[in-house]
Amino acid sequence: MKQSSLGNLVQPFHVMELVKAADTLNNQGKPVIHLSIGEPDFPMPKPVEQALAQAISEHKTRYTAALGLPELREAISLYYQTNFQVQVPAHQIVITSGASAALMYACLALINPTDKVLLTDPGYPCNKTFVQMAGGIPDFVQTQEAQNFQPSWADLYKQWTPHTAGVLLASPNNPTGTQLGAQAMQEIVQGVSTQGGFVIVDEIYQSLCYDRPAQSVLQVTGAPSEQIPVVVINSFSKYFGMTGLRLGWMVVPDTLLPAIERFAQNLSICPNTPAQWAALACFTPETLAICEERRLVFKVRRDFVVTALPKAGIELHSTPDSAFYVYAKSPYDSERYCRQLLEQALVCAVPGKDFSEFRGSEMMRFSYANSMDNLETAIERIRLFNNRQLP
Amino acid sequence: MKQSSLGNLVQPFHVMELVKAADTLNNQGKPVIHLSIGEPDFPMPKPVEQALAQAISEHKTRYTAALGLPELREAISLYYQTNFQVQVPAHQIVITSGASAALMYACLALINPTDKVLLTDPGYPCNKTFVQMAGGIPDFVQTQEAQNFQPSWADLYKQWTPHTAGVLLASPNNPTGTQLGAQAMQEIVQGVSTQGGFVIVDEIYQSLCYDRPAQSVLQVTGAPSEQIPVVVINSFSKYFGMTGLRLGWMVVPDTLLPAIERFAQNLSICPNTPAQWAALACFTPETLAICEERRLVFKVRRDFVVTALPKAGIELHSTPDSAFYVYAKSPYDSERYCRQLLEQALVCAVPGKDFSEFRGSEMMRFSYANSMDNLETAIERIRLFNNRQLP
């Protein structure tokens, strides 16, 4: 039984080894604090939970249309209108099994075998797999602290080749918790468009931002079209706290819609049905108020963490303003550091390896999706550990 | 914005055009009876619904392990032991977002670009897309009524080339509702194994069979291994009535497991969490009794339909003994026939085009996932239509 070359190529989440070690410690009665998790520490908002329970009691458990519930596509269209003042027709919005399926359809519909696709480094580890699955070749663009780890069009253009098909960006970005400004975004879309390429923009942490209002590339470009070669990826996981429900959406140009529908029919049939009905409750004032309250909790934690980490001996060279991550320099080789921090200080943070080809061993990621109490304890443990360990 | 060649290649479900026409008729107050649907007409079994509601009330809505809940993998292992008398270790069982994700992981892990993969014709329309997504080339093996539309190893061997990587079978098969016998299955696995290929066996209709006990290829081969190059695909959709929950599973050899885990992590993160908790209730005696009762209802319908359709002018040349489909000769070009049957008799059956490259225009599929009343009315309408229309 021969495994495919893609099967050999695709990378595991290296962090899982660390998480397994953390579980072992926990099972030994040594309670680890996780600053490792890419998942909000809040339960699903109550109104969403109630809508989910209601959908089930109403037997809404059958297949839906491949592109998703029309009602939900309408609700998202209205959300763009109300919250971002941008007109996105409902038919250009596609409901997917998490942002994962959205990234998959976008890559399959846009990338030909041997096409190069620009990805920012550091970035979400799975992006390269989606590109590779479509036969494409990830071409990493190294971003800098001084630019908040986001690229300019000049950075992308420097690496653009005749074989480059497009670029996949994330704003806010994981692992850096930083965003692209509206002007930079505009320049990128315009530049890529001139080259005949595509721009996929991952906005799954969209409303988890702390220093300015949430933004979308669509505010800059308007709805995608033949002339605006943009695909937007979004999710109910992070801001709306529906991680395990596996529900996301994408915004696509009309011209791409038939191919996306064919992929959705063939590869997924439809997204989870009760989750889709539940997601309708995300856009009620009640749920939005809960999510806004949680955003403010994240902001307080962010403020604490960016002040406390440097005092504990962790250098920060960028100011994260979004998502729930801090990407920072590791005191020494990050795999060794994170392993020792776990074993000796019972704090689980994540080495950069999963996020970066270039500087993975230098960098590490802290998640502040944890309670203030735990964050305080964890950072005190880090301080003690660093003071003992560092020269 | 250039669409990928795969985006152009992937086929839509042609039946959707017909379904849209049916919806239009329904909206005009002309009630169409659907013999088109690949979905049980029963709601989710009550104990599964209750387990789902309970999971939600217990906030079981976070990410799970990429390979699925350990408890559910154990339960499926026990199910194989109890119901099929076969030992499948839980760690070889992977929970997936429907059989769709299982087929995707299997194809990505086993097929290299330009590999040929044997698919039976007629068969499930999405199979070719999964093969194409992995860069493979579908190579259709035409099966015959006389062999219940299932291939022998001799049939497959005739088409085997040095570029053939493996074969994807379904037993029970959609659209034919027919199965492979244990001996044929054994010969195929042995033959393919000798060629160094793989056998993916789709068993998503496994327990919906009416003339003999449910079977699995695993009863013939034992658990997959390096020497037994078999991957089994299964689903909670059909027998357990959980279609919209999008939950399935696969059984894989140890050697393939790391690659499957990496694909699951990267492409899906995890299957829907509440659905996984709910699925645990599928294997209780209470749920199994409900499913068994429904199987008997399907059997009564099957018996009725295979008798009534020939009397209504629809020739059957095979005896469907499983799933809930009858695949039959269309009185004339099946697209034209199905369109006219819909418009003039308000019965929606499905032309063969989606299922067959070779004889799609000759053949059509009837689904009996509908009430006995509706089946009786529909077949009477078909009889009247055929008597008026046929020469």
Side-chain angles (χ1 to χ4, degrees):
Chain A
M1 197 168 206
K2 281 191 308 266
Q3 189 165 297
S4 70
S5 43
L6 184 66
N8 294 325
L9 190 67
V10 59
Q11 292 293 305
F13 292 173
H14 297 101
V15 69
M16 293 315 288
E17 289 309 307
L18 202 69
V19 170
K20 277 177 202 166
D23 290 346
T24 305
L25 287 166
N26 270 326
N27 292 340
Q28 292 166 357
K30 298 179 184 167
V32 172
I33 299 180
H34 277 278
L35 306 182
S36 60
I37 315 280
E39 181 168 34
D41 53 312
F42 302 108
M44 217 158 55
K46 202 79 199 168
V48 179
E49 190 183 298
Q50 286 165 345
L52 184 55
Q54 193 183 334
I56 291 156
S57 72
E58 289 170 0
H59 305 309
K60 288 171 170 170
T61 55
R62 296 179 176 238
Y63 294 132
T64 68
L67 297 180
L69 279 182
E71 295 88 334
L72 185 54
R73 298 167 75 190
E74 287 289 350
I76 295 171
S77 173
L78 194 63
Y79 178 65
Y80 277 116
Q81 168 71 62
T82 310
N83 281 47
F84 298 93
Q85 294 74 52
V86 54
Q87 305 273 356
V88 184
H91 78 269
Q92 288 188 242
I93 295 164
V94 176
I95 313 301
T96 57
S97 299
S100 299
L103 283 164
M104 180 167 80
Y105 303 156
C107 287
L108 289 175
L110 287 167
I111 301 170
N112 275 314
T114 76
D115 278 355
K116 284 188 175 182
V117 177
L118 298 179
L119 302 177
T120 62
D121 181 311
Y124 178 54
C126 308
N127 286 343
K128 60 177 176 295
T129 308
F130 290 111
V131 170
Q132 288 166 335
M133 184 187 52
I137 300 164
D139 188 5
F140 291 102
V141 177
Q142 194 174 353
T143 59
Q144 311 296 337
E145 283 95 329
Q147 281 178 236
N148 268 325
F149 294 107
Q150 288 284 6
S152 66
W153 167 237
D155 297 329
L156 299 174
Y157 185 62
K158 237 179 277 167
Q159 259 175 259
W160 200 276
T161 73
H163 304 291
T164 304
V167 50
L168 197 170
L169 303 168
S171 178
N173 188 36
N174 172 7
T176 62
T178 57
Q179 300 179 76
L180 266 165
Q183 200 191 325
M185 194 62 103
Q186 183 158 37
E187 285 166 11
I188 289 171
V189 173
Q190 200 162 355
V192 172
S193 172
T194 308
Q195 300 297 318
F198 63 78
V199 186
I200 301 173
V201 187
D202 168 349
E203 299 188 341
I204 73 165
Y205 293 96
Q206 180 172 55
S207 293
L208 288 172
C209 61
Y210 312 116
D211 297 335
R212 55 180 179 183
Q215 54 176 17
S216 170
V217 61
L218 299 173
Q219 293 168 304
V220 172
T221 61
S225 69
E226 184 70 33
Q227 287 71 44
I228 302 170
V230 171
V231 172
V232 172
I233 308 293
N234 214 320
S235 171
F236 289 96
S237 290
K238 312 296 181 178
Y239 184 62
F240 296 111
M242 293 176 67
T243 46
L245 278 289
R246 314 304 307 113
L247 201 70
W249 76 83
M250 62 197 300
V251 183
V252 299
D254 276 328
T255 45
L256 215 59
L257 202 58
I260 299 288
E261 180 169 20
R262 295 195 295 269
F263 282 121
Q265 290 174 333
N266 276 273
L267 304 182
S268 303
I269 302 182
C270 70
N272 182 281
T273 301
Q276 292 189 73
W277 286 105
L280 274 171
C282 288
F283 305 108
T284 59
E286 202 187 348
T287 303
L288 289 170
I290 293 168
C291 295
E292 175 61 10
E293 204 170 281
R294 291 174 178 189
R295 185 186 70 79
L296 294 174
V297 171
F298 276 122
K299 184 184 188 320
V300 170
R301 294 176 185 174
R302 190 281 312 258
D303 292 344
F304 168 70
V305 163
V306 297
T307 312
L309 274 177
K311 289 185 195 159
I314 301 291
E315 288 177 40
L316 300 187
H317 295 286
S318 66
T319 303
D321 68 354
S322 47
F324 34 68
Y325 305 119
V326 176
Y327 193 60
K329 207 156 164 6
S330 176
Y332 46 88
D333 174 81
S334 62
E335 276 197 85
R336 203 157 56 86
Y337 178 78
C338 289
R339 171 65 71 158
Q340 294 180 339
L341 186 69
L342 172 64
E343 288 170 355
Q344 295 171 37
L346 301 179
V347 172
C348 187
V350 178
K353 189 175 178 182
D354 283 324
F355 308 103
S356 174
E357 306 279 310
F358 295 120
R359 293 174 57 200
S361 60
E362 272 178 61
M363 307 295 291
M364 60 187 295
R365 188 190 78 174
F366 300 88
S367 162
Y368 49 91
N370 209 330
S371 71
M372 201 63 180
D373 272 3
N374 279 338
L375 291 173
E376 281 171 3
T377 308
I379 293 181
E380 177 57 12
R381 287 183 190 175
I382 293 171
R383 193 186 65 80
L384 291 170
F385 177 74
N386 284 348
N387 286 343
R388 199 170 65 231
Q389 290 279 323
L390 291 176
Chain B
M1 197 168 205
K2 283 191 309 264
Q3 189 166 299
S4 69
S5 44
L6 183 65
N8 293 325
L9 189 66
V10 60
Q11 292 292 306
F13 292 173
H14 297 100
V15 69
M16 293 315 290
E17 290 307 307
L18 201 71
V19 169
K20 278 179 200 164
D23 289 346
T24 306
L25 286 165
N26 270 326
N27 292 341
Q28 291 166 359
K30 297 178 183 166
V32 171
I33 298 179
H34 278 278
L35 306 183
S36 60
I37 314 280
E39 183 168 32
D41 53 313
F42 301 108
M44 215 158 57
K46 201 79 197 168
V48 180
E49 190 183 298
Q50 285 164 344
L52 184 55
Q54 193 182 336
I56 291 157
S57 72
E58 291 171 0
H59 306 307
K60 288 172 170 168
T61 56
R62 297 180 175 236
Y63 294 132
T64 69
L67 296 180
L69 280 181
E71 295 88 335
L72 185 54
R73 298 166 75 191
E74 286 288 349
I76 295 170
S77 172
L78 194 63
Y79 178 66
Y80 277 117
Q81 169 71 61
T82 311
N83 281 49
F84 298 94
Q85 294 76 50
V86 54
Q87 303 275 356
V88 185
H91 78 270
Q92 288 187 244
I93 296 164
V94 176
I95 314 300
T96 57
S97 300
S100 300
L103 284 163
M104 181 167 79
Y105 303 156
C107 287
L108 288 176
L110 287 167
I111 301 171
N112 276 312
T114 76
D115 278 355
K116 286 189 175 181
V117 177
L118 299 178
L119 303 177
T120 62
D121 182 314
Y124 179 53
C126 307
N127 286 343
K128 59 177 176 295
T129 309
F130 289 110
V131 170
Q132 287 166 336
M133 184 187 52
I137 301 164
D139 188 5
F140 291 102
V141 176
Q142 193 173 354
T143 58
Q144 311 297 337
E145 283 95 328
Q147 282 179 235
N148 269 326
F149 294 107
Q150 289 284 7
S152 66
W153 167 239
D155 297 330
L156 299 175
Y157 185 63
K158 239 181 273 167
Q159 260 174 258
W160 200 277
T161 75
H163 305 291
T164 304
V167 51
L168 199 170
L169 302 168
S171 178
N173 189 36
N174 172 7
T176 61
T178 56
Q179 301 180 75
L180 265 165
Q183 199 190 328
M185 194 62 101
Q186 183 157 37
E187 285 166 10
I188 290 171
V189 172
Q190 199 161 1
V192 171
S193 173
T194 307
Q195 300 297 316
F198 63 79
V199 187
I200 302 172
V201 186
D202 168 350
E203 299 188 342
I204 74 165
Y205 294 96
Q206 180 173 55
S207 293
L208 288 172
C209 62
Y210 312 116
D211 297 336
R212 55 180 177 178
Q215 55 176 18
S216 170
V217 62
L218 299 174
Q219 294 169 303
V220 171
T221 62
S225 69
E226 184 70 33
Q227 287 72 44
I228 303 168
V230 170
V231 172
V232 172
I233 309 293
N234 214 319
S235 171
F236 289 97
S237 289
K238 311 297 182 178
Y239 183 62
F240 295 111
M242 293 177 68
T243 46
L245 278 289
R246 314 304 307 113
L247 201 70
W249 77 82
M250 64 199 297
V251 182
V252 300
D254 277 326
T255 46
L256 216 58
L257 202 58
I260 299 288
E261 180 168 20
R262 295 195 295 268
F263 281 120
Q265 290 175 333
N266 276 272
L267 305 181
S268 304
I269 303 182
C270 71
N272 182 283
T273 302
Q276 291 189 73
W277 287 105
L280 274 173
C282 287
F283 305 108
T284 60
E286 203 185 348
T287 304
L288 289 169
I290 294 168
C291 294
E292 175 61 12
E293 204 172 278
R294 290 173 178 187
R295 185 186 71 80
L296 295 174
V297 172
F298 276 122
K299 183 185 191 318
V300 170
R301 295 175 186 173
R302 191 280 312 257
D303 292 343
F304 168 69
V305 164
V306 298
T307 313
L309 275 176
K311 289 184 195 156
I314 300 292
E315 287 178 42
L316 299 187
H317 295 286
S318 65
T319 304
D321 66 355
S322 48
F324 33 69
Y325 306 118
V326 175
Y327 193 61
K329 210 158 168 352
S330 177
Y332 46 89
D333 174 81
S334 62
E335 275 196 86
R336 202 156 57 85
Y337 178 77
C338 289
R339 171 67 70 159
Q340 294 180 340
L341 185 68
L342 172 63
E343 286 169 356
Q344 295 170 39
L346 300 179
V347 172
C348 187
V350 177
K353 189 176 177 181
D354 284 322
F355 308 102
S356 175
E357 306 280 310
F358 296 118
R359 293 174 56 200
S361 61
E362 274 178 60
M363 306 296 290
M364 60 187 296
R365 188 190 78 174
F366 299 88
S367 161
Y368 49 91
N370 209 329
S371 70
M372 202 64 183
D373 272 4
N374 280 337
L375 291 172
E376 281 171 1
T377 308
I379 293 179
E380 176 59 13
R381 287 183 190 174
I382 292 170
R383 195 186 63 79
L384 291 171
F385 176 76
N386 284 347
N387 287 343
R388 196 169 71 233
Q389 289 278 322
L390 293 174

